[in-house]
Amino acid sequence: MIKAQRGTKDILGEDTLTWQKIQDSARNIFQSANYREIRTPIFEATELFKRGVGDSTDIVNKEMYTFSTGGKDKNESSITLRPENTAGVVRAYIEHNISRQSPPQKFWYFGPMFRYERPQAGRQRQFHQIGIELFGVENPAADAEAILMAQEFLKSVGVDNLEVELNTLGCPKCREEYRNSIREVLKPYLDELCNDCKIRYEKNPLRILDCKDENCQKIFERDEIKKVILNDYVCPECAQHFEQVKKYLDALNIKYSRNKMLVRGLDYYNRTVFEIKSNSLGSQNAVCGGGRYDGLVQMLGGAPTPAVGWALGVERLFELIEKTPAQKLDYFVVSKYPEHALKLCKDLREKGKTCDFDMQNRKFAKQLEKAARVANFAIILGEEEIEKSFYTVKNLSTGTQEQKTLL
Ligand code: ATP
Ligand code: MG
């Protein structure tokens, strides 16, 4: 017996209805705001993620599904299942010269992502993300719209109680001072930090703040470290940008709180970063995360292009929303003449009705039982009905019956 791979899940039965609802809501909300769907391949050159997500991230260092195509061309041979979609969308943006269209260029996506992680509640190896990417706008209106889209999408699936956590990482210039201060204040504790944080200390010290290790968390509680974290290192331009974002959010009545520990797990963010968390999800509580990444397009070979986006975990969202119940069919055809039942179903479906029929010539009582389970009305199709083209239609909740010409 071959089973599904660890960390992957089949989506079955009525759950698929809820998944469809999530996708339909996403399409409606994003298209109403002029976002176009983008579908990029689920595998890309490994190099894209190394450069695009960042060499010092957990995603690239520990979680990548990388394999060789076995091709002779060395440059082509290492590919990776996408762990996230921003890198792929940016690649497509550059490759298709989308920057030639007038900005903003706005995209949304839905699809599976792959990370080699320890499976647990809220953490799978194949999971799904919905996300948006908005290119070409430096104005803080873009940050605010991105956050608004996340909240509007969540509202459209009935989740309207999640607060946004907000922070600013500044620009590469002002971040340098922040990085140095963090390094300095953490230096005496270097031995006590977890192994990952020892590496982060060298490569990307800000991300130490993202560490989930209890011992590291305790160290961050120390007064002198707190002081550095709570200090604002951002330059006047970045501070102004952040103020504007907050002003826009206030005007939209979007609730947020500042979380100075929020740095996000990816290397490419600058200025605004945000996360939307739920307190009913246990320890994997982040539903949505994103921010501004003004340097990424250039880093991947395009022209300098400001950009902002986010990604939302669909499995975690699924846990939060009311499930969509199965709907009954309009009709179930009960008949000993499958060829006629099939033709009647075809005609009814063409008229926009939902219907099904018994394909196995089962006993009348069995067919009627099935009809009562799956449909609102049974159509009894006997010899006489076939000849005269009228039908006996039984209301399965009241039991009443009438003769009808349905077509
Ligand atoms: P976490 O801190 O939970 O590992 P992350 O920072 O790695 O999250 P992002 O890369 O920001 O996650 O991805 C955005 C969203 O995708 C997350 O907020 C989460 O809802 C979802 N997500 C990420 N990894 C997984 C996973 N392995 N299984 C299920 N959902 C995931
Ligand atoms: Mg992660």
Side-chain angles (χ1 to χ4, degrees), residues 115 117 122-124 127 129 212 264 286-288 311 313 316:
R115 296 185 195 176
E117 301 199 70
R123 212 177 272 301
Q124 292 174 206
F127 62 101
Q129 285 183 339
K212 310 265 169 6
R264 309 265 313 122
V287 180
C288 176
R316 293 187 197 174

Side-chain angles (χ1 to χ4, degrees), residues 43-91:
F43 62 86
E44 298 273 1
T46 302
E47 188 60 22
L48 177 71
F49 302 116
K50 282 197 179 157
R51 277 164 57 191
V53 177
D55 256 342
S56 70
T57 60
D58 284 355
I59 292 181
V60 169
N61 283 323
K62 301 184 196 163
E63 300 171 1
M64 297 246 278
Y65 275 98
T66 297
F67 48 95
S68 161
T69 57
K72 292 204 176 84
D73 180 348
K74 275 228 169 73
N75 291 325
E76 228 176 41
S77 63
S78 181
I79 60 175
T80 294
L81 296 181
R82 62 182 185 193
E84 55 89 61
N85 207 26
T86 301
V89 172
V90 170
R91 183 211 32 81

Side-chain angles (χ1 to χ4, degrees), residues 167-169 175 178-179 181-183 185-186 193-194 196-197 200-201 204-213 216-217 219-221 225-226 228-231 233 259-265 277:
N167 197 16
T168 178
L169 301 177
R175 196 159 41 199
Y178 190 22
R179 283 161 70 123
S181 312
I182 295 256
R183 271 208 187 101
V185 74
L186 281 174
L193 291 173
C194 73
D196 284 341
C197 280
R200 290 176 186 133
Y201 185 90
N204 191 347
L206 277 199
R207 275 235 317 288
I208 291 179
L209 305 181
D210 200 32
C211 184
K212 310 265 169 6
D213 182 278
C216 294
Q217 288 284 339
I219 297 175
F220 307 150
E221 289 298 314
I225 297 172
K226 265 244 144 91
V228 171
I229 294 169
L230 294 181
N231 195 355
Y233 288 88
N259 175 1
K260 292 196 174 183
M261 299 288 280
L262 184 65
V263 291
R264 309 265 313 122
K277 292 178 183 161

